[in-house]
């Protein structure tokens, strides 16, 4: 029997993704190899793939503090003066985060 899997490559920083294909919940992936079995949900022709990825709290707080217009999306008592590497707040780049891919469909023969 041929089984199909959706593989996400790299999900960075928190590494949590919720997956649906054609409205069917395929669960949450949170560790490498970020693999979801999709044989029963994939259709011939067009498919609808929904992926919700969690961003890191660090990026959200740092992003709020470095926005030029100070428009905040969160409310927290955290005030970053330095990042975890010791860099000053005005030198802090946001960390790579999210679904970085590649997203591929793999097929495997299951016995």
């Amino acid at each position: 029997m041929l089984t199909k899997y959706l593989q996400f490559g790299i999900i960075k920083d928190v590494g949590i993704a919720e997956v649906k294909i054609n409205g069917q919940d395929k669960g949450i992936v949170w560790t490498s190899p970020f693999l979801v079995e999709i044989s029963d949900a994939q259709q011939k022709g067009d498919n609808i793939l929904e992926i919700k990825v969690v961003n890191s709290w660090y990026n959200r707080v740092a992003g709020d503090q470095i926005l030029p217009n100070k428009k905040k999306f969160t409310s927290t008592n955290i005030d970053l003066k330095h990042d975890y590497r010791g860099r000053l707040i005005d030198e802090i780049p946001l960390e790579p985060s999210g679904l970085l891919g590649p997203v591929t469909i793999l097929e495997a023969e299951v016995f």
Side-chain angles (χ1 to χ4, degrees):
M1 179 174 153
L2 196 59
T3 304
K4 293 185 180 183
Y5 298 92
L6 193 60
Q7 201 219 0
F8 296 101
I10 299 171
I11 301 175
K12 184 98 170 126
D13 180 42
V14 176
I16 300 172
E18 179 183 352
V19 182
K20 287 184 181 181
I21 184 166
N22 298 317
Q24 186 175 347
D25 186 357
K26 298 310 292 178
I28 294 173
V29 293
W30 56 276
T31 187
S32 185
F34 303 112
L35 200 63
V36 175
E37 199 272 318
I38 61 167
S39 298
D40 60 339
Q42 186 184 22
Q43 305 168 4
K44 287 187 178 187
D46 293 339
N47 290 269
I48 298 172
L49 177 62
E50 298 174 64
I51 305 168
K52 294 180 183 177
V53 180
V54 175
N55 194 5
S56 74
W57 182 241
Y58 169 79
N59 270 0
R60 179 68 274 147
V61 172
D64 278 354
Q65 287 193 229
I66 63 176
L67 286 171
N69 64 1
K70 300 292 183 188
K71 180 182 177 200
K72 297 181 184 280
F73 290 90
T74 59
S75 177
T76 181
N77 63 349
I78 298 171
D79 184 21
L80 295 176
K81 304 288 186 216
H82 299 85
D83 72 353
Y84 60 91
R85 293 186 181 110
R87 294 176 292 195
L88 293 173
I89 186 68
D90 56 344
E91 301 171 1
I92 298 174
L94 298 180
E95 295 294 316
S97 184
L99 177 57
L100 305 179
V103 177
T104 55
I105 295 176
L106 306 174
E107 295 182 334
E109 191 74 34
V110 177
F111 300 95

